[in-house]
Amino acid sequence: MHQFAYKGGVLHAEDVSLDALASEVGTPFYCYSTATLERHYKVFADAFSGADVLVCYSIKANSNIAVLRTLGELGSGMDVVSEGELRRARAAGVPPERIVFSGVGKTREEMAYALNEGIYAFNVESEPELAALNEVAHGLGVKARVALRVNPDIDPKTHRKISTGKAEDKFGVPFDRARALYKEAAGMQGVETCGIHMHIGSQITDLKPFGDAFTLLRALAGQLKEDGIKLEFINFGGGLGVPYRGSNDVPPHPDEYATVVLDAAEELNCKLLFEPGRMIAANAGILVTRVLYVKEGANKTFTVVDAAMNDLIRPTLYEAYHDIWPVRESLRAEPPQKTDVVGPVCETGDYLALDRDLPPFGEADLMAVMTAGAYGAVQSSTYNTRLLIPEVLVKGGHYAVVRPRPDYDELIGGEKIPDWF
Ligand code: LLP
């Protein structure tokens, strides 16, 4: 469910016309809907109503501080993976006791920063990381609150680049070493273990891998209890998929996911933590781009638009499919034509859609690349010395440019020619 719909023949974000917005901010740009962000957060949180829950939105999906503020106001915590993300969460006003810190390569400086901020917990991914955190915390005279991230060796049945729970993936402590590591941690002065963490992958559309993984989590929690280790929370990670192809691929509803979680968590008497990212942000955002040229190749048609792989890398990086809608509704009534939607970047991999049956877009037409609110703007780059594109947040009939388009001086002005020239 999202709030991008046609009104009076023009695609709107809530009550804002995307045609008007494109004239005002210029293309390409990302546009996010407040109502959709809020709705997704609430649907997820409500699925666990009655339980002791902390939803830590995974900032990596969309880290604009206006988005973080929107979710923070609803009570959301944050899952961060770098000092930068932690700074963003704090800049958005999210209290430290609602923040968890994940990632396989936290530096000692990042650990110290997070300890000084007083975050809720670290998700620790390895023995050496645990030793480093122990040292840093001990040096600061504090105890780091820790959940060990456990790798259950389960195939989440998603794209291989976004699977994180198999033995060959770099994430987490192997399941059969976790129990011993908890015992070891119990003897460390700078560490207090208080939870277990697991995250098996992203864009997961089948509940079975979750169920299998959570059954293992439950077994480990039982063993730790036997060992006298106190568990305050279980962090089930994120990963719930979203419908990229409209009603043709419907992932499990958060309520169904909640049944699987609550089955596993029964009688453990632990607080439940989650780190959803995509499920909250993906369908709350679109990328709006304008057609530059329609080019007839030797045997196919290329629709050349002003957004490119540097703005949205998902199609080429993960073979991801994003629906494309015309901003002008009347185009939908015309017979579709097969085309590649490509950008100006000098790479064959620069495309937003391949061999797609689309309305007959012509020069200057606007298109909306749907479900681009997660892992879109955050993964953009300035490749080909292209300017990062603006981000716009809509709320009802209002909009705010929440990241302006930089100018060329900001892009290249920081570079220096050495004085040996
Ligand atoms: N927690 C941890 C520890 C994670 O590594 C991730 C995502 C999440 C939570 C959030 O997962 P979500 O609910 O969003 O599935 N760039 C890729 C996705 C990478 C996901 C990385 N980790 C893409 O565009 O598909």
Side-chain angles (χ1 to χ4, degrees), residues 58 60 79 162 199 202 239 275-278 314 318 375 379:
S58 195
K60 64 175 80 66
D79 159 44
I162 53 175
H199 171 78
S202 197
E275 300 169 346
R278 191 189 310 264
R314 300 197 70 260
Y318 312 108
Y375 306 110
Q379 295 200 108

Side-chain angles (χ1 to χ4, degrees), residues 56 58 60-61 79 81 102-103 123 125 149 161-162 164 171 197-199 201-204 237-241 244 275-280 314 317-318 320 374-376 379:
C56 294
S58 195
K60 64 175 80 66
D79 159 44
V81 291
S102 313
N123 295 328
E125 305 235 8
R149 176 172 180 175
K161 288 186 184 162
I162 53 175
T164 55
F171 300 97
H197 176 236
M198 196 179 265
H199 171 78
S202 197
Q203 185 52 17
I204 301 172
L240 195 55
Y244 279 100
E275 300 169 346
R278 191 189 310 264
M279 191 266 145
I280 308 265
R314 300 197 70 260
L317 190 55
Y318 312 108
Y375 306 110
Q379 295 200 108

Side-chain angles (χ1 to χ4, degrees), residues 67-148:
V67 168
L68 306 186
R69 178 58 167 261
T70 302
L71 297 169
E73 290 281 317
L74 300 179
S76 181
M78 305 278 148
D79 159 44
V80 305
V81 291
S82 67
E83 180 175 331
E85 285 193 349
L86 176 50
R87 285 176 182 267
R88 280 181 182 276
R90 298 291 290 123
V94 178
E97 61 274 14
R98 285 199 240 140
I99 297 176
V100 295
F101 195 160
S102 313
V104 294
K106 302 174 198 79
T107 64
R108 285 164 191 258
E109 292 74 21
E110 287 180 313
M111 291 171 178
Y113 186 81
L115 286 166
N116 285 328
E117 285 288 298
I119 64 164
Y120 182 69
F122 290 83
N123 295 328
V124 169
E125 305 235 8
S126 66
E127 287 88 343
E129 187 199 334
L130 184 66
L133 182 57
N134 177 44
E135 253 176 53
V136 174
H138 189 52
L140 292 171
V142 294
K143 268 188 187 289
R145 288 165 51 82
V146 163
L148 292 185

Side-chain angles (χ1 to χ4, degrees), residues 18 21-22 26-31 286-290 306-307 327 366-369 389:
L18 290 165
L21 198 50
T27 56
F29 65 96
Y30 277 100
C31 178
I286 60 173
L287 167 64
V288 179
T289 178
R290 200 180 282 282
D306 60 5
V327 168
L366 289 168
M367 59 171 73
V369 182
I389 67 177

